[in-house]
Amino acid sequence: MTKEEIRLAESATRKRHWKRWGPYLSERAWGTVREDYSPHGNAWEYLPHDHARSRAYRWNEDGLAGISDRRQMICFALALWNERDPILKERIFGLTGNEGNHGEDVKEYYFYLDSTPSHSYMKYLYKYPQAEFPYAKLVEENRRRDKRQPEFELLDTGVFDDDRYFDVFVEYAKADVEDILIKITITNRGAEAADLRVLPTVWFRNTWSWGNPARRPTLHKARPAPNPVIELNLSQPNKIWSDSRWLHCEGSPELLFTENETNARRLFGTENYTPFVKDGINDYIVLGVKEAVNPEQVGSKAAAHYKMSLGSGETVLIRMRLSDSDFEGTNAFEAFDKTLALRQREADEFYATVIPQDLSADAQNVMRQGFAGMLWSKQFYHYVIKDWLRGDPDNPRPPQERRKGRNHQWTHLYNADVISMPDKWEYPWYAAWDLAFHCIPLALVDPDFAKEQLTLMLREWYMHPNGQIPAYEWALGDVNPPVHAWAAWRVYKIDKKRTGRGDREFLKRILHKLMLNFTWWVNRKDAGGMNIFQGGFLGLDNIGVFDRGAALPTGGYLEQSDGTSWMAMYTLNLLAIALELAKEEPCYEDMASKFWEHFIYIAHAMSHRGQDSMGLWNEEDGFFYDVLKLPDGSQFPMKIRSMVGLIPLFAVETLEPDVLDRLPDFKRRLEWFIDNRPDLTENFACMRSEGMGERRLLSIANEDQLRRILHYMLDEREFLSPSGIRALSQFHREHPYVLHVNGTEHRADYEPGESLTGMFGGNSNWRGPIWFPVNFLLVESLQKFHHYLGNDFKVEFPTRSGNMKTLWDVAGELSRRLTNIFLRDEKGRRPVFANLEKFQTDPHWRDLVLFHEYFHGDSGSGVGASHQTGWTGVVTKLMQQSGEFREHKKTEPAAATVATSGIELWDDASVRT
C-alpha cells in the first residue's frame, strides 16, 4: 500500500482522522438560497457580492484557496491586494443570474492543480491581475449584451495584456492530522516590478450570533515577530481541556485582528455591536482606517499582513503552519520543506496506482487535474430548513411569505456535512443527480467517500419522509433522474475490483432506502397508473419546447420518454443489486422478481398502449418521443429529436447464465412470465433468445429499434459531433420544432453553445451541446448491448459512411471523441479552449485544464460553469478504463475476452487496451 492508501485506511476505520481538514470552504456563500431571507426568494439580490465582505454568513463561509475543518469551526484562506483594487481580493467574483447575459458566471481564473483524497497534499493556482480588477466593467458589458452575444470575460477586459499579473500558488501538506503546512508562492509574470499585499487569513465561522449560547471563540497574538504566532481557542467554559490551534507565520508580518461580525452601519445604517467588524481588515488596508482593527490584537478573524514588491519574473515564498502544537522553544519551520516534498512524492506514488502509466504525459496531466477538481470541490454544506424558515433568536423575524415559499415542505432537512459540489462557485450546493455521477470518479480514488456520499442523500435528515431525494437548494422538491441506484451499483463494482471484496452491507443499506424512493416514483409520477412516467424537467432544463417542470400552456400533461426510460433503467439497476445480494441471501430473489416485473410493464407500455393511447415509440420515424396528452383526451407525439429519445437506450441489462443457475426461484419466475405473458414480452428485446455467452438481454429497445435509433445518433448531421453526442439533433438547425398555443409560439431550435432562451436562468442549455453524464451512459449502454449481441452486430459509423463497426468499436470511438475535448490535438491545441490563445499557447496557461459544465455541439469548446469538474469528471473514468483512443488503434475485444459481467464491463481489466 502507498502512504496515501494507508491514510485512507486509517481514516475509514477512524483510527486517525486524516480528512478532518480539507478544502471544505466554498468559493461563494453570497447569493445562495441558504443566506436568503427575502420575502420572495430573491437570493442573488438579498446578499450580493458587495455585501459579502461586510456581512457575517449564517450558514457557511467562503474564501480564496481556502480550507476548513469538517465542521467549519476554523477557516483559513488567502486575501490579496494589488494596491489598485477598491477592495481586498478575499473571494472569487462573478456575475449573478440576473447580471450575466447567459446567467450566473464566474469571472476569474483559478485552477485546482492537485489533491490527494485525504488532502494530505493540495495545490491551487490563482491568477491575480496587477491592474485594477474591472468589477464594474464586467457587470456593465455583460448586462448590455443579449443572449445571442458571447459572454464578456476577464481576458476580454485586457487586464492580462503583457502578462501583467501574479501567479499565486497555494499548497497545503499535512505533517499530521492536525498539523498543516501552508506554502504560498507568488510570481510576477509581468515585465515591470509590481507591489502586492498578501494577507493569509484565519477566522471562526460565526456560530454565536444566531441564539447559540456557546461562548464566542477567540484568537489572539500569542508570540511577536519574528515568526509571530496567532493562537485560536475553541474551548468551552465547562471543559477542563483546551481545544486550541496555533497559526505560525514565518517572517515579520503585521498581525491584524477584527471580528467576524456584520458591519451593520455600512449595510443598514444602524449601530454596530462592536467597532471591529468583518470588513475591518479590508478598511485598514485599502482605506487606511487605522481604528478598523483591534489594537488589543484579539478577535474572531485575523490576518498576517505581508507587504512586498516583486521584480519582473521574481518569485516570493511565504510559509505558514496551522497546528495543534505551539512549538514553544522550537522552530516550527525546521522540517517544513522536507515534509512538503515528501507529501508531494506520496501524492505521485498514489496516483501512479490510479492513472495508467501508458497514457501520454498530457493525458496523465488531464486526469490528475480532473481528480484534483473532484477533490477540491468538496464543501461543508450547512442548511437547516426549520431554523431557516423560523429565523434565529435576537435576529429579525423572516417575512411571513417564506412559510409558504421555497422549500417550506422540507422542514425535516438538516444538512451539516462535507458534500461533493457540482461547482463551488456557480453551484455551491449539492444536486442529487450530479452527485451520483461525481461518485464514479471519486470511487477510483476514495471509494469510502463515494459510498458515504450516496448513503448520505438517503439518510432521514436528507430524504423526505415520503421517499423523495432532495434535488438542490433552489427547489428541493424538483425531480431529478433516478440515477442513485445506478451510481451505487457502479461504485460497488469499482470498489470490489479495487479491493477484491464487495461491500455488501453498503449495497443492502442502499437498496432498502431506495425501495422508499422507488415507491415514491411509482405513486407520484405515474399519473394514469399505466407505467408511463412524467417527472417534470428531469435535469434536462430547456430540452423541451416549453418548461416541462411547470404547468403546460396547453393544459394536460406530458408522458415523458425520458421519465419513463429513467424508471426502466432504475428498475434494472435495482434488479442488478438484488441479484447480487441474492447470491448469498436468497430472500433478495423476491425483490429481484418485483423489479423484473416492473421493468416488463414499463418496457411494454413505452412501445404499446393499446387502442386508446399511443406508445412513446414512433414506428414511422423510428424514434422515441414525449406524448402530449390534452384535456379533451386528444394526444400527439412531440417530434423533437433530442436526448429524450436516446435515453431509452440506458435501460439495458444482461443476465448471466451462471447467475440464473444460482438463483432457481428467480429463474423459474422469469421463465413462467416469458411463457405465459407473451403479450407483455413480445414487443421489445428478446429474453428467450440467448446471446453471446448464453446471456439474456433486458432492454426497452429491441434489435430493430436499436438500429433505427443509432441511425440518427451516429449521423454527423444529427447527433454525432466531433466531440460526442449532442443533446439535440443538428437537424433542428434548419427545421426547428414549432408549436403554437393560444397565439404564442413555442419552439426548439438547435443551439450548440450558450442558451438563447431564459428558461432555467439561461446558464444551462440542452438544445445542442454535449453533456458528459448522458454521453457516459450512452457509451456504457453500447458496451452492454455489445456484450449480448457480440461482434456480428454492426452498424454504420458514421451513418452513410459505409464503415461498419461493432457496438464495442462505436463505444470506443465515442470515448475517444469525449476525452479528446481536453487533450492536445496534432496542432497542440485543446478543443475545450477553442480560440482562447492564452490557454492554447502561453507556457504559463497551456497546461491548465478547466472541466466545463457542457461543451459546444460543433466545436467542443467549454460552455457553462467553468469549474464543474463534478459530473464532467467522469472523463477520468473514461481515460482510466479506456486510455487514449486513436484512429489506428483497435478497441474491439475478441468475444472470448469480453468481461464476464455485462453490468460492469468497464471495470474488468481485460477490456482496457
Side-chain angles (χ1 to χ4, degrees):
M1 296 176 72
T2 65
K3 292 290 186 181
E4 178 63 14
E5 289 171 312
I6 292 172
R7 280 189 285 267
L8 291 174
E10 291 177 338
S11 177
T13 58
R14 301 194 177 186
K15 181 179 180 181
R16 306 194 71 197
H17 299 287
W18 285 104
K19 298 179 189 175
R20 180 174 291 160
W21 288 84
Y24 309 143
L25 206 60
S26 180
E27 304 285 6
R28 174 175 66 85
W30 60 271
T32 59
V33 168
R34 304 185 293 289
E35 298 293 338
D36 174 27
Y37 286 80
S38 66
H40 304 293
N42 301 319
W44 285 114
E45 287 73 29
Y46 183 78
L47 204 168
H49 178 266
D50 184 55
H51 288 196
R53 69 182 182 276
S54 305
R55 190 163 183 165
Y57 292 128
R58 169 62 177 91
W59 296 101
N60 58 269
E61 299 288 325
D62 60 14
L64 181 63
I67 61 172
S68 77
D69 63 276
R70 65 179 303 111
R71 294 299 173 203
Q72 204 164 94
M73 302 303 295
I74 300 172
C75 306
F76 176 92
L78 201 58
L80 303 164
W81 190 48
N82 57 15
E83 302 190 356
R84 290 180 172 85
D85 286 352
I87 57 175
L88 287 182
K89 176 60 68 177
E90 293 181 275
R91 56 187 50 81
I92 297 295
F93 173 74
L95 303 185
T96 70
N98 299 322
E99 290 171 338
N101 60 322
H102 293 287
E104 64 262 36
D105 186 41
V106 70
K107 296 298 183 186
E108 307 241 28
Y109 297 109
Y110 58 101
F111 305 89
Y112 305 128
L113 299 184
D114 207 0
S115 180
T116 57
S118 73
H119 310 297
S120 59
Y121 177 75
M122 299 189 294
K123 189 174 185 179
Y124 182 111
L125 169 62
Y126 174 66
K127 291 183 177 287
Y128 186 39
Q130 294 168 6
E132 179 180 341
F133 195 92
Y135 292 105
K137 187 175 183 180
L138 287 165
V139 173
E140 292 164 3
E141 178 59 23
N142 278 283
R143 186 176 283 156
R144 185 187 66 79
R145 297 186 178 195
D146 65 27
K147 293 190 180 300
R148 295 192 174 275
Q149 295 175 285
E151 294 174 332
F152 184 66
E153 304 292 0
L154 187 57
L155 274 172
D156 299 327
T157 68
V159 295
F160 287 98
D161 290 355
D162 302 320
D163 294 329
R164 294 191 301 270
Y165 69 93
F166 300 103
D167 265 343
V168 183
F169 294 90
V170 182
E171 294 173 89
Y172 298 96
K174 293 181 181 178
D176 210 331
V177 170
E178 295 279 358
D179 190 3
I180 304 169
L181 312 182
I182 305 165
K183 179 182 176 182
I184 304 166
T185 306
I186 306 108
T187 300
N188 177 6
R189 298 296 184 196
E192 299 177 356
D195 296 330
L196 180 66
R197 313 286 186 92
V198 182
L199 295 101
T201 305
V202 64
W203 71 99
F204 294 110
R205 176 168 61 91
N206 188 323
T207 58
W208 56 86
S209 293
W210 328 110
N212 189 333
R215 184 170 74 88
R216 176 197 303 258
T218 60
L219 45 80
H220 65 275
K221 185 171 80 172
R223 289 202 294 272
N227 297 348
V229 178
I230 299 170
E231 181 176 351
L232 301 89
N233 195 289
L234 278 166
S235 63
Q236 304 299 317
N238 60 345
K239 285 186 178 180
I240 60 173
W241 50 272
S242 175
D243 193 6
S244 296
R245 303 291 184 276
W246 289 264
L247 180 64
H248 303 265
C249 313
E250 191 175 40
S252 299
E254 177 186 21
L255 299 186
L256 306 173
F257 293 80
T258 189
E259 299 289 348
N260 186 13
E261 293 275 9
T262 295
N263 186 345
R265 181 178 299 167
R266 172 179 180 259
L267 297 178
F268 313 118
T270 59
E271 286 303 307
N272 286 326
Y273 169 79
T274 169
F276 310 113
V277 288
K278 184 177 177 180
D279 54 11
I281 295 172
N282 174 88
D283 291 355
Y284 176 87
I285 296 292
V286 178
L287 304 179
V289 181
K290 301 304 180 185
E291 60 272 22
V293 296
N294 193 336
E296 300 297 323
Q297 297 192 304
V298 64
S300 51
K301 177 181 178 181
H305 177 205
Y306 292 87
K307 185 176 181 179
M308 61 189 69
S309 180
L310 290 81
S312 174
E314 184 179 357
T315 296
V316 173
L317 303 180
I318 296 173
R319 301 192 303 177
M320 309 186 82
R321 189 166 190 166
L322 181 59
S323 179
D324 60 352
S325 171
D326 65 358
F327 290 100
E328 183 71 42
T330 60
N331 181 1
F333 301 98
E334 184 175 0
F336 186 103
D337 293 339
K338 181 179 179 180
T339 303
L340 190 141
L342 177 61
R343 293 295 176 264
Q344 285 178 307
R345 289 197 301 273
E346 291 169 353
D348 292 341
E349 291 167 0
F350 171 76
Y351 278 111
T353 71
V354 176
I355 299 174
Q357 296 305 292
D358 59 349
L359 292 181
S360 66
D362 184 42
Q364 290 189 42
N365 173 53
V366 170
M367 278 193 73
R368 186 78 170 254
Q369 289 189 54
F371 287 125
M374 295 300 309
L375 295 166
W376 269 95
S377 294
K378 295 181 184 179
Q379 177 185 309
F380 171 71
Y381 183 86
H382 191 203
Y383 191 23
V384 181
I385 296 290
K386 185 177 180 181
D387 294 345
W388 180 73
L389 291 173
R390 182 179 56 193
D392 299 302
D394 304 323
N395 283 269
R397 182 177 293 275
Q400 282 295 114
E401 294 91 334
R402 290 160 49 81
R403 294 185 177 272
K404 296 297 182 183
R406 175 178 287 138
N407 298 333
H408 74 276
Q409 295 179 325
W410 289 75
T411 53
H412 74 287
L413 190 123
Y414 191 110
N415 297 168
D417 297 283
V418 171
I419 305 177
S420 176
M421 298 290 121
D423 178 322
K424 288 204 296 186
W425 194 94
E426 295 212 20
Y427 304 112
W429 28 261
Y430 64 83
W433 88 295
D434 295 57
L435 183 64
F437 289 95
H438 299 184
C439 290
I440 305 308
L442 285 170
L444 295 175
V445 294
D446 190 356
D448 285 327
F449 180 71
K451 288 183 285 186
E452 289 166 9
Q453 293 289 283
L454 291 169
T455 303
L456 187 63
M457 291 294 117
L458 305 180
R459 299 305 298 265
E460 304 85 79
W461 49 94
Y462 282 78
M463 177 186 275
H464 197 281
N466 66 17
Q468 186 178 9
I469 297 173
Y472 44 78
E473 68 175 31
W474 284 93
L476 290 166
D478 266 357
V479 182
N480 283 172
V483 291
H484 219 77
W486 168 80
W489 179 236
R490 289 285 269 149
V491 167
Y492 171 84
K493 297 291 284 186
I494 292 170
D495 183 35
K496 185 176 182 180
K497 178 172 184 274
R498 192 164 175 80
T499 64
R501 60 177 182 80
D503 188 346
R504 295 176 57 84
E505 290 304 310
F506 159 72
L507 214 53
K508 285 190 279 189
R509 205 171 179 186
I510 286 285
L511 179 59
H512 293 160
K513 282 301 185 74
L514 284 179
M515 287 290 291
L516 299 175
N517 179 246
F518 182 81
T519 302
W520 175 85
W521 268 92
V522 170
N523 291 338
R524 295 295 183 94
K525 294 301 174 182
D526 180 7
M530 298 292 291
N531 297 292
I532 293 291
F533 291 81
Q534 299 158 54
F537 84 102
L538 283 173
L540 305 188
D541 296 8
N542 66 340
I543 201 166
V545 72
F546 31 63
D547 185 349
R548 300 192 304 167
L552 303 183
T554 59
Y557 60 91
L558 276 178
E559 294 185 333
Q560 293 180 220
S561 172
D562 55 335
T564 307
S565 301
W566 286 121
M567 276 303 289
M569 173 184 168
Y570 194 5
T571 61
L572 291 180
N573 299 147
L574 292 172
L575 170 62
I577 292 172
L579 289 175
E580 176 74 7
L581 294 173
K583 291 177 182 178
E584 295 182 16
E585 298 173 75
C587 61
Y588 285 99
E589 288 188 64
D590 290 338
M591 281 192 183
S593 296
K594 170 185 172 60
F595 296 129
W596 141 258
E597 291 186 17
H598 267 290
F599 170 74
I600 294 298
Y601 286 116
I602 294 170
H604 173 73
M606 283 198 70
S607 295
H608 181 73
R609 293 292 306 279
Q611 293 182 350
D612 297 328
S613 294
M614 63 179 62
L616 304 181
W617 172 255
N618 187 278
E619 182 62 28
E620 179 183 3
D621 291 0
F623 205 70
F624 285 101
Y625 297 120
D626 288 347
V627 171
L628 179 59
K629 306 277 287 188
L630 297 173
D632 64 4
S634 62
Q635 58 190 333
F636 62 89
M638 306 282 285
K639 291 193 173 186
I640 306 173
R641 294 211 280 271
S642 74
M643 187 60 64
V644 164
L646 302 182
I647 288 174
L649 298 182
F650 300 167
V652 56
E653 199 61 89
T654 57
L655 297 178
E656 299 295 322
D658 64 312
V659 173
L660 292 177
D661 290 341
R662 289 176 61 181
L663 305 174
D665 288 345
F666 174 76
K667 184 178 182 180
R668 184 167 56 252
R669 292 167 196 159
L670 179 145
E671 298 287 3
W672 182 94
F673 212 91
I674 295 173
D675 291 339
N676 292 277
R677 295 301 306 271
D679 56 313
L680 294 177
T681 60
E682 65 185 1
N683 292 322
F684 57 97
C686 181
M687 289 159 294
R688 172 68 74 187
S689 300
E690 296 176 347
M692 190 169 67
E694 299 183 351
R695 301 179 182 97
R696 304 288 186 92
L697 179 68
L698 307 180
S699 170
I700 284 177
N702 61 33
E703 188 172 326
D704 177 66
Q705 290 171 328
L706 175 63
R707 286 191 183 277
R708 297 182 71 184
I709 294 171
L710 292 182
H711 179 83
Y712 291 112
M713 191 180 97
L714 304 180
D715 189 336
E716 292 175 315
R717 298 185 302 188
E718 297 257 5
F719 288 97
L720 182 63
S721 86
S723 304
I725 300 300
R726 304 176 176 107
L728 188 82
S729 170
Q730 198 180 61
F731 169 82
H732 293 297
R733 188 201 300 274
E734 302 296 331
H735 306 90
Y737 182 85
V738 180
L739 183 67
H740 291 93
V741 180
N742 300 325
T744 300
E745 180 182 271
H746 300 268
R747 59 187 291 148
D749 297 81
Y750 175 69
E751 302 168 8
E754 297 278 9
S755 174
L756 302 182
T757 73
M759 197 182 296
F760 285 89
N763 66 325
S764 177
N765 183 25
W766 285 82
R767 294 183 174 181
I770 296 137
W771 291 78
F772 261 77
V774 287
N775 270 265
F776 187 86
L777 289 174
L778 284 171
V779 171
E780 179 187 83
S781 297
L782 290 173
Q783 289 192 326
K784 289 181 179 181
F785 276 114
H786 174 84
H787 197 50
Y788 173 80
L789 296 168
N791 294 338
D792 292 335
F793 185 93
K794 296 184 178 183
V795 295
E796 273 189 306
F797 186 90
T799 299
R800 292 186 305 278
S801 68
N803 183 22
M804 305 301 293
K805 287 182 178 286
T806 67
L807 296 185
W808 184 266
D809 272 340
V810 173
E813 175 64 18
L814 291 181
S815 294
R816 182 187 69 80
R817 294 186 181 213
L818 291 162
T819 57
N820 281 355
I821 289 173
F822 304 100
L823 299 174
R824 290 199 188 102
D825 61 19
E826 62 278 2
K827 296 179 181 178
R829 300 177 70 86
R830 303 184 196 276
V832 63
F833 292 128
N835 296 321
L836 295 176
E837 290 304 313
K838 198 79 172 169
F839 280 93
Q840 298 289 17
T841 60
D842 190 302
H844 301 300
W845 294 68
R846 68 190 303 264
D847 290 326
L848 305 172
V849 182
L850 292 176
F851 299 86
H852 288 256
E853 182 181 6
Y854 54 101
F855 301 85
H856 195 283
D858 296 335
S859 70
S861 60
V863 191
S866 58
H867 290 73
Q868 193 163 338
T869 316
W871 60 19
T872 302
V874 296
V875 69
T876 59
K877 182 68 176 89
L878 289 174
M879 298 177 75
Q880 180 265 348
Q881 190 63 52
S882 304
E884 291 172 275
F885 284 94
R886 298 300 176 200
E887 291 291 349
H888 65 273
K889 281 193 176 182
K890 291 293 184 182
T891 62
E892 176 189 335
T897 65
V898 174
T900 58
S901 171
I903 299 163
E904 202 54 38
L905 280 174
W906 287 1
D907 295 325
D908 190 284
S910 65
V911 173
R912 192 172 176 276
T913 58

